[in-house]
Amino acid sequence: MRSTRVLVVGAMVVIACGWQSVATAADESGIGVSPDVAFPGSTVTVSTTACEGDVAYAKGQAEYAGQIHLTETGHDGELAGDFTVPDDIKDGVYDITVKCLTGGRVETSYQVARRPDGAVHGGFGGATGLNGTEVVIGSALLAGASAIGLIAMRRRADSGSV
């Protein structure tokens, strides 16, 4: 029984990984941008394997950010280059075009977003701390859970089962 469960779980993992790699391969345009979302002043790396042949250089253009010079990375057929996102750029999606010396051309885009100002509120507590009401509610919940646990343990002990 246990070996059947192990085989089923193993098969599910293999299938999930296989489908994910097929989906990733289908979405590839031959050009990659890292990070997915850039901030003003950050550095963005553009890489491509779309240039055919023994190419050691390609030229790119990032909309609003200027030229990108892509050179060999040491990986087979991969070229990469960096550019800095201007500080005065507005939020949005901008195009990147890479032209290979062999005549090929690939396009993609990069997204720019502003960094959040101040602390990010993620529910109770966080950057602003706890107020008295939250402390009282939390303490009551912990006390109630402890009491229920003690009652359940006492009932088991009284019935003779452990």
Side-chain angles (χ1 to χ4, degrees):
M1 180 81 167
R2 177 170 268 173
S3 62
T4 304
R5 277 190 246 155
V6 171
L7 288 174
V8 170
V9 171
M12 291 171 64
V13 168
V14 168
I15 289 170
C17 291
W19 280 344
Q20 184 177 0
S21 63
V22 169
T24 302
D27 289 342
E28 286 185 20
S29 63
I31 188 169
V33 178
S34 178
D36 293 333
V37 178
F39 300 105
S42 65
T43 300
V44 176
T45 301
V46 179
S47 61
T48 184
T49 56
C51 295
E52 297 177 3
D54 191 22
V55 178
Y57 178 78
K59 200 170 197 178
Q61 180 72 29
E63 181 182 4
Y64 199 72
Q67 290 188 349
I68 312 164
H69 300 282
L70 290 90
T71 57
E72 289 180 303
T73 62
H75 296 94
D76 191 30
E78 183 181 43
L79 303 174
D82 298 331
F83 68 92
T84 301
V85 179
D87 288 328
D88 60 343
I89 195 170
K90 292 185 169 119
D91 294 356
V93 177
Y94 298 92
D95 294 328
I96 296 175
T97 304
V98 174
K99 295 179 184 175
C100 303
L101 296 178
T102 57
R105 177 181 170 150
V106 289
E107 295 181 354
T108 191
S109 60
Y110 70 103
Q111 182 177 356
V112 176
R114 292 274 167 210
R115 292 184 192 271
D117 291 332
V120 177
H121 297 283
F124 290 130
T128 59
L130 296 174
N131 63 30
T133 305
E134 293 167 346
V135 171
V136 169
I137 290 171
S139 299
L141 289 172
L142 284 173
S146 299
I148 290 170
L150 286 171
I151 291 170
M153 288 175 55
R154 189 168 179 90
R155 283 188 181 171
R156 281 193 184 157
D158 289 345
S159 67
S161 63
V162 177

